[in-house]
Amino acid sequence: MSKPFYITTAIAYPNGRPHMGHAYEAVTTDVIARFKRLDGFDVRFLTGTDEHGLKIDQAARAAGQEPKAYVDAMVEPFRALDDQLGINFDRFIRTTDTDHKALVQELWRRMAANGDMYLGRYEGWYSVRDEAYYDDAELVDAVDSAGNPVRLSPQATPVEWTVEESWFFRLSAYQDRLLALYDGQPDFIQPVSRFNEMRSFVAGGLSDLSVSRTSFSWGIPVPDGAETGPSHVMYVWLDALANYLTGAGGLDGQWWPADLHVVGKDVVRFHTVYWPAFLMSAGLPLPRAVFGHGFLLNRGEKMSKTLGNVVDPSEMATRFGVDRLRWFLCREIAFGDDGSYSDEAIIERTNADLANGIGNLAQRSLSMVAKNLGGIVPAAQGEGGDSEAALHASFTALTQAYFAAMNAWALHKALEALMGLVSAANGYFAENAPWALAKTDTARMAQVLRATMDATRRIVLLAQPFMPESTSRLLDQLGVAPDARDFSGFNTIVAAGTQLPAPEGVFPRLTPEPA
């Protein structure tokens, strides 16, 4: 029986259209999910939208709509982007789903039964944009466009002083247990830079957390029997984080605990401090790891409407091609760090790696097989000589490096190893010059072509998580059967005598658009 693997993105807040950050998180998580499926795991991949809270309530009222009607319309571009980018999720969850509401209320009851909820009064700073509370020491003094002094959150978002009755969660009671978690399981928070930030934050002391609101009603109601005053709805992050349990099949669902939460670095605190504390309170297992990726910058600058540099990822995918965009995001940006993109960078990187690299390798060998061997895969000619031994050694080492990097979520390093495979195969092809052998030694030519095609097959198999559509077309051209495309078929060579289709280019070179 296949080993289960449960992976999630953070759920998106649909108060605007999806941006490149949403695309980046969806693509990188999808790459890991596809890799695990190809490696024999039974994968559950969850993504979706976070649809409650004051920010949605305000946006709906500004649009003259009821909140549910507003989010119903705003969710569609997120679903459409996932479809366009080839995001192969198992469930697209919405926090307005009926089963989610019931689960969150039961989670609350379990936390309350543990003695961790009490009624009080919240007075402090709140960022509507972040849907987050901040201590005074965390705020940054700044000036607005009119030159007036303002206070901002660590994410540079406006904060406002809030006073209201609230239910509180005894977060302070979990400080020692959280520190013990971090010290006993340091890979719970990845990469190391995020671990250090969160451990320092928790070691500095924790305050109890306000987990209900009374100033608006767009949210999941606090369960009956818990209220003594105004009508309370749950803090949006308690609601949102619980989506991972709903997607797992419930509080005791078959897919829980999650193996990996992939989230942006700006929400690592919620996932590695609040979330494990909530789960500890409810007596539930903790996720195995949280990976906080960096921000995606447009030409080195954070995207903002003020700067006018917000880019539509759907338009980018249409212009450059889905697989080229997926490749670039995983190859160019060290997963976990901030990264930058531009039209020129996408064109330069994908032309080098895909048109000149993988595409050129496949096209040259397949074209020679079509021209000189009638498109028929030649028979093996023994184990070969020194060139074949060197190629085999390179492939063994680089394939091991690829798998090690992928299992450490180092997507960029996996692609470095994969491009090393491309260089080794291209070097073998150039060194043995089958175009010259066609005139002097056709048997040796056939041997070189077969070795090159098999090297290309292995490269394309490993590239599948990153470029599912393009690699499928290449594997068709290489004669790889549909049931031999997961990693269990890595050493399954294409049978001699297989008739290949006419080769077609998959990665044409891109040229910059005129200024």
Side-chain angles (χ1 to χ4, degrees):
M1 187 176 181
S2 298
K3 184 178 179 181
F5 184 83
Y6 180 31
I7 185 170
T8 73
T9 67
I11 50 176
Y13 210 71
N15 66 321
R17 294 189 62 83
H19 53 65
M20 283 294 289
H22 295 117
Y24 180 59
E25 186 170 301
V27 165
T28 51
T29 310
D30 181 67
V31 165
I32 296 170
R34 286 178 181 271
F35 167 78
K36 285 295 186 179
R37 288 192 192 100
L38 289 165
D39 206 24
F41 286 77
D42 185 12
V43 173
R44 172 79 167 172
F45 175 16
L46 181 74
T47 191
T49 44
D50 173 11
E51 301 178 16
H52 291 126
L54 180 57
K55 186 162 53 174
I56 291 288
D57 187 61
Q58 290 178 343
R61 280 191 276 120
Q65 294 179 280
E66 289 298 314
K68 183 60 166 65
Y70 175 80
V71 293
D72 284 347
M74 295 299 289
V75 162
E76 287 311 307
F78 289 85
R79 281 184 174 275
L81 181 64
D82 280 353
D83 289 344
Q84 182 182 13
L85 295 176
I87 309 304
N88 191 20
F89 56 79
D90 294 287
R91 177 174 176 180
F92 188 102
I93 193 170
R94 299 178 57 183
T95 55
T96 51
D97 290 343
T98 302
D99 62 339
H100 178 69
K101 175 181 176 181
L103 178 139
V104 180
Q105 291 183 322
E106 180 57 29
L107 178 65
W108 178 289
R109 291 187 185 99
R110 290 197 187 186
M111 294 163 64
N114 198 48
D116 285 329
M117 299 293 202
Y118 65 91
L119 195 63
R121 181 180 177 85
Y122 177 76
E123 295 188 26
W125 296 104
Y126 189 77
S127 166
V128 176
R129 191 178 304 175
D130 297 345
E131 294 284 10
Y133 303 97
Y134 292 105
D135 291 334
D136 195 73
E138 295 181 89
L139 301 183
V140 178
D141 291 318
V143 294
D144 62 18
S145 58
N148 300 314
V150 293
R151 308 207 75 189
L152 301 177
S153 77
Q155 310 301 332
T157 58
V159 294
E160 54 189 43
W161 186 258
T162 301
V163 179
E164 62 184 306
E165 181 181 273
S166 176
W167 282 93
F168 284 82
F169 171 69
R170 298 185 194 278
L171 182 64
S172 59
Y174 288 87
Q175 178 177 353
D176 290 344
R177 289 182 64 181
L178 288 168
L179 290 173
L181 166 66
Y182 304 154
D183 293 342
Q185 190 182 332
D187 59 353
F188 174 72
I189 307 173
Q190 302 176 39
V192 173
S193 58
R194 312 280 180 257
F195 172 88
N196 292 335
E197 291 168 8
M198 290 303 104
R199 197 193 183 290
S200 176
F201 173 76
V202 173
L206 295 174
S207 301
D208 290 348
L209 181 68
S210 170
V211 288
S212 75
R213 304 295 303 273
T214 58
S215 55
F216 62 94
S217 60
W218 180 238
I220 294 178
V222 168
D224 291 341
E227 299 172 28
T228 57
S231 177
H232 290 249
V233 295
M234 291 187 205
Y235 176 41
V236 67
W237 271 103
L238 174 55
D239 166 7
L241 290 164
N243 94 89
Y244 305 127
L245 291 168
T246 308
L251 291 175
D252 303 300
Q254 69 177 96
W255 289 96
W256 193 256
D259 291 275
L260 182 64
H261 293 318
V262 178
V263 305
K265 67 178 184 180
D266 54 332
V267 296
V268 168
R269 179 193 300 185
F270 304 98
H271 287 81
T272 61
V273 180
Y274 303 163
W275 182 222
F278 294 160
L279 292 167
M280 289 173 183
S281 174
L284 294 171
L286 307 185
R288 294 187 175 93
V290 177
F291 190 99
H293 63 76
F295 288 148
L296 201 58
L297 309 175
N298 185 345
R299 299 181 185 275
E301 293 184 317
K302 192 172 180 179
M303 292 173 281
S304 76
K305 293 178 181 177
T306 304
L307 293 174
N309 66 348
V310 177
V311 173
D312 180 358
S314 177
E315 188 273 333
M316 293 281 281
T318 299
R319 191 147 51 92
F320 294 112
V322 168
D323 280 354
R324 285 178 181 269
L325 183 60
R326 287 173 62 106
W327 177 275
F328 174 85
L329 293 174
C330 298
R331 170 81 159 115
E332 189 77 7
I333 301 164
F335 197 43
D337 294 346
D338 290 348
S340 188
Y341 70 94
S342 66
D343 289 5
E344 296 84 355
I346 294 171
I347 291 170
E348 182 178 351
R349 169 59 71 187
T350 60
N351 278 347
D353 289 355
L354 305 182
N356 299 346
I358 297 173
N360 186 48
L361 175 65
Q363 193 66 15
R364 288 201 296 170
S365 56
L366 288 169
S367 295
M368 281 204 67
V369 171
K371 178 181 177 181
N372 297 280
L373 300 172
I376 296 174
V377 175
Q381 304 284 329
E383 295 185 2
D386 291 345
S387 291
E388 286 71 31
L391 180 65
H392 176 75
S394 293
F395 264 62
T396 298
L398 288 165
T399 300
Q400 289 173 351
Y402 169 92
F403 277 94
M406 287 299 295
N407 283 310
W409 325 132
L411 309 185
H412 57 295
K413 290 187 177 180
L415 289 183
E416 279 183 24
L418 192 145
M419 289 308 300
L421 293 170
V422 174
S423 296
N426 266 323
Y428 169 83
F429 189 82
E431 177 188 339
N432 288 279
W435 57 89
L437 292 170
K439 302 173 184 176
T440 60
D441 188 345
T442 55
R444 176 61 180 157
M445 174 204 72
Q447 183 182 36
V448 171
L449 290 176
R450 181 177 180 90
T452 304
M453 287 171 52
D454 192 60
T456 305
R457 176 187 66 84
R458 293 166 187 262
I459 290 166
V460 177
L461 287 175
L462 298 180
Q464 289 179 99
F466 301 90
M467 302 185 295
E469 191 274 334
S470 299
T471 52
S472 178
R473 291 167 58 195
L474 279 172
L475 291 171
D476 287 344
Q477 294 187 47
L478 289 162
V480 180
D483 61 356
R485 297 185 180 187
D486 62 23
F487 296 150
S488 67
F490 194 68
N491 294 317
T492 304
I493 62 175
V494 177
T498 299
Q499 178 67 60
L500 302 179
E504 295 180 354
V506 174
F507 300 115
R509 287 184 60 80
L510 297 179
T511 56
E513 295 180 356

